[in-house]
């Protein structure tokens, strides 16, 4: 049995990934505009980040804006990007002081030049931090991630820098937007929906899945603790047979 399988699983996952779902339904139930739900969701992000740091999680990836979100109404897209811009301008330095490193993954080229510059500045400012790596998936899709990695690898092969038979899983992983980041140990989705919705498809191959029946704006430290409790109770086998009597 490999060392990876033999080692006892730590109680605290190294990497937690979250599909933050339910902002719109949360707002609708309260007779509020969708933007109110997104703003309340941003406050839940702050609680989630705080809980991750308190519990010793090293990586936290949040599905903030999917590639499919571009198909929403122009007003909502503008609200979402405006909210992102606001937090880049008003919250990044606070995160920097707390030792959080920011990283952004996805098809960032779809954002305007000024927003991309602010994203780059946030990454540059926080690059040396190590308390928590906070990864925001923006204009992100799991299938798109795999396709762009395949395209880049194909170009490498075309240019003679790699032979097709040299392409392994580990090589392929290095061409994903999450290169250098360990795969998530647990993927969480709020709102009661039970699907991945095109999020970290390659990276989540062996992740534990936790589905919570709570809208994202209501997510708090107690819910984060529930996720960690569920994770600690599961046995991760990475496709191997369970040990002991059948």
């Amino acid at each position: 049995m490999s060392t990876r399988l033999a080692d006892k699983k730590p109680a605290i996952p190294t990497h937690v990934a979250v599909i933050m779902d339910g902002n719109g339904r949360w707002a609708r139930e309260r007779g509020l505009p969708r933007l109110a739900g997104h703003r309340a969701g941003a406050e839940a992000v702050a609680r989630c980040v705080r809980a991750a740091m308190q519990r010793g999680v090293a990586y936290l990836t949040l599905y903030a804006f999917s590639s499919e979100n571009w198909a929403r109404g122009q007003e909502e897209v503008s609200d979402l990007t405006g909210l992102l811009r606001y937090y880049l301008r008003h919250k990044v330095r606070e995160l920097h002081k707390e030792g959080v490193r920011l990283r952004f993954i996805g098809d960032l080229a779809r954002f305007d030049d000024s927003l991309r510059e602010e994203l780059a500045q946030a990454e540059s400012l926080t690059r040396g931090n190590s308390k928590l790596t906070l990864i925001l998936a923006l204009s992100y899709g799991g299938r798109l991630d795999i396709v762009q990695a395949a395209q880049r690898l194909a170009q490498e092969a075309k240019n003679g820098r790699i032979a097709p038979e040299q392409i392994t899983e580990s090589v392929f992983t290095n061409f994903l937007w999450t290169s250098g980041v360990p795969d998530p140990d647990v993927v969480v989705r709020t709102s009661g929906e039970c699907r991945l919705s095109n999020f970290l498809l390659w990276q989540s191959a062996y992740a534990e899945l936790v589905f919570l029946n709570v809208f994202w704006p209501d997510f708090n430290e107690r819910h984060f603790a529930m996720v960690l409790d569920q994770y600690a109770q599961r046995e991760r086998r990475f496709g191997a047979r369970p040990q002991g009597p059948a």
Side-chain angles (χ1 to χ4, degrees):
M1 186 170 63
S2 70
T3 302
R4 187 184 189 188
L5 296 176
D7 290 345
K8 183 179 180 181
K9 176 180 65 61
I12 302 299
T14 298
H15 184 178
V16 174
V18 184
I19 301 170
M20 305 180 294
D21 192 23
N23 290 350
R25 279 168 286 171
W26 181 92
R28 186 168 60 248
E29 284 190 357
R30 290 159 177 76
L32 300 172
R34 289 180 68 87
L35 179 57
H38 295 314
R39 286 175 173 167
E43 296 304 313
V45 168
R47 294 192 294 270
C48 187
V49 169
R50 185 164 56 246
M53 288 193 291
Q54 290 173 347
R55 293 300 190 108
V57 171
Y59 295 87
L60 176 65
T61 298
L62 303 178
Y63 202 9
F65 190 94
S66 76
S67 54
E68 290 82 6
N69 285 161
W70 291 106
R72 294 186 178 185
Q74 183 57 47
E75 182 178 357
E76 184 172 3
V77 170
S78 296
D79 287 343
L80 286 168
T81 54
L83 192 59
L84 172 61
R85 200 182 301 269
Y86 172 84
Y87 276 86
L88 285 169
R89 294 175 179 176
H90 296 89
K91 299 296 182 181
V92 169
R93 293 197 176 277
E94 179 181 328
L95 291 170
H96 178 49
K97 290 180 180 179
E98 294 177 355
V100 176
R101 178 183 180 182
L102 279 166
R103 180 168 170 178
F104 306 100
I105 60 172
D107 185 14
L108 304 183
R110 296 195 66 174
F111 295 110
D112 62 50
D113 291 346
S114 63
L115 182 52
R116 291 203 308 273
E117 178 61 26
E118 292 189 62
L119 294 173
Q121 290 175 357
E123 285 189 327
S124 177
L125 175 66
T126 62
R127 184 165 290 122
N129 296 337
S130 58
K131 178 71 174 178
L132 170 73
T133 297
L134 174 59
I135 303 164
L136 295 183
L138 303 170
S139 187
Y140 178 87
R143 289 181 173 180
L144 180 60
D145 193 3
I146 293 169
V147 167
Q148 67 82 32
Q151 290 172 338
R152 291 168 58 199
L153 262 171
Q155 190 62 51
E156 291 290 294
K158 181 180 178 181
N159 294 337
R161 288 192 284 265
I162 189 170
E165 61 270 17
Q166 293 176 313
I167 299 174
T168 62
E169 288 187 15
S170 59
V171 168
F172 191 86
T173 296
N174 290 331
F175 284 80
L176 295 168
W177 281 317
T178 51
S179 176
V181 176
D183 288 343
D185 301 294
V186 56
V187 175
V188 184
R189 181 170 187 153
T190 59
S191 86
E193 302 290 350
C194 300
R195 55 183 178 272
L196 288 176
S197 292
N198 202 18
F199 180 53
L200 298 179
L201 298 181
W202 174 283
Q203 299 87 339
S204 299
Y206 291 103
E208 298 298 320
L209 305 180
V210 176
F211 301 106
L212 299 177
N213 192 25
V214 57
F215 291 140
W216 176 249
D218 292 325
F219 187 92
N220 57 32
E221 292 85 348
R222 179 176 61 84
H223 297 111
F224 196 90
M226 289 169 57
V227 170
L228 298 193
D229 286 344
Q230 285 199 40
Y231 173 79
Q233 293 169 15
R234 297 186 187 182
E235 180 186 357
R236 304 186 73 200
R237 297 191 293 271
F238 300 97
R241 288 179 177 272
Q243 300 303 305

